[in-house]
Amino acid sequence: MRPAVECRTAQEVFELYRDVIGRRRAREAELAANAALREPPPAPPPEPAPPPPMPVKPFLCTPRLAPIVEAVCENFRIRYVDLVGPRRIDGFAHPRQISMMLCRTLTPYGLKQIGRYHNRDHTTTLHATQKWAWMRLLLEAQLVHEDPPDAWAKLARHLYCNSEWGG
């Protein structure tokens, strides 16, 4: 058993506390100095080189969207303002959808860019592409991508007029 400790004065307790804290700080400083002497911290790894740019595949036919839309307007006999306008009647909506489908078929542009050009959302372009997929198959069977947009629009109008929607 430990012998009983005599009561100390507050001054003795304070000096004992200062002594313990001083020894602890000295020990921490000694450990830090030894750690610094042992070895330097490792250098950070060099940053990896950026990957080389992806090669761009040439697209067979990269016309802008304007010639396709103009060809659709001319062959369906509607104005551009009506094609991109807010009206939903079949006389404007169907040519607009066919125009979106042709733009998606003949250009490398995405749904968002085509929809923005037609003042619509990308989901509208997706709907138009899916709705007129049958026409796209028939057009691709008879035409090649190098044909002018006017040939595509003319054949699309012919298919439209002979279908249940246009006939």
Side-chain angles (χ1 to χ4, degrees):
M1 282 184 76
R2 288 174 58 168
V5 178
E6 294 180 27
C7 292
R8 298 181 180 208
T9 64
Q11 183 67 28
E12 289 176 344
V13 172
F14 179 70
E15 287 175 10
L16 183 63
Y17 173 74
R18 251 190 359 198
D19 187 41
V20 169
I21 295 298
R23 277 188 270 148
R24 181 181 296 161
R25 287 185 183 157
R27 179 70 179 148
E28 288 173 356
E30 181 184 341
L31 290 175
N34 288 341
L37 291 176
R38 271 188 246 143
E39 57 186 63
E47 291 193 27
M54 296 281 295
V56 178
K57 291 182 181 178
F59 195 73
L60 293 177
C61 181
T62 57
R64 299 281 179 214
L65 299 175
I68 298 170
V69 173
E70 288 172 6
V72 169
C73 288
E74 182 179 319
N75 282 287
F76 282 87
R77 296 180 186 95
I78 61 173
R79 299 178 305 161
Y80 173 76
V81 175
D82 296 328
L83 186 80
V84 299
R87 297 188 66 191
R88 296 183 189 177
I89 61 173
D90 288 346
F92 299 144
H94 289 167
R96 180 185 308 126
Q97 292 171 347
I98 292 171
S99 172
M100 289 180 184
M101 181 268 304
L102 289 175
C103 289
R104 184 77 172 136
T105 304
L106 297 176
T107 67
Y109 295 111
L111 299 173
K112 198 172 192 177
Q113 291 91 355
I114 295 170
R116 191 178 302 140
Y117 191 80
H118 289 85
N119 290 334
R120 295 293 185 276
D121 192 49
H122 69 281
T123 55
T124 307
T125 305
L126 180 64
H127 170 73
T129 305
Q130 291 172 348
K131 179 177 180 179
W132 299 99
W134 64 270
M135 183 183 287
R136 178 182 182 177
L137 294 174
L138 291 174
L139 290 171
E140 287 179 341
Q142 298 180 27
L143 298 169
V144 292
H145 284 276
E146 289 81 14
D147 288 337
D150 192 48
W152 286 79
K154 186 180 286 187
L155 186 56
R157 184 173 188 277
H158 174 73
L159 292 172
Y160 173 76
C161 289
N162 293 329
S163 70
E164 63 185 64
W165 284 290

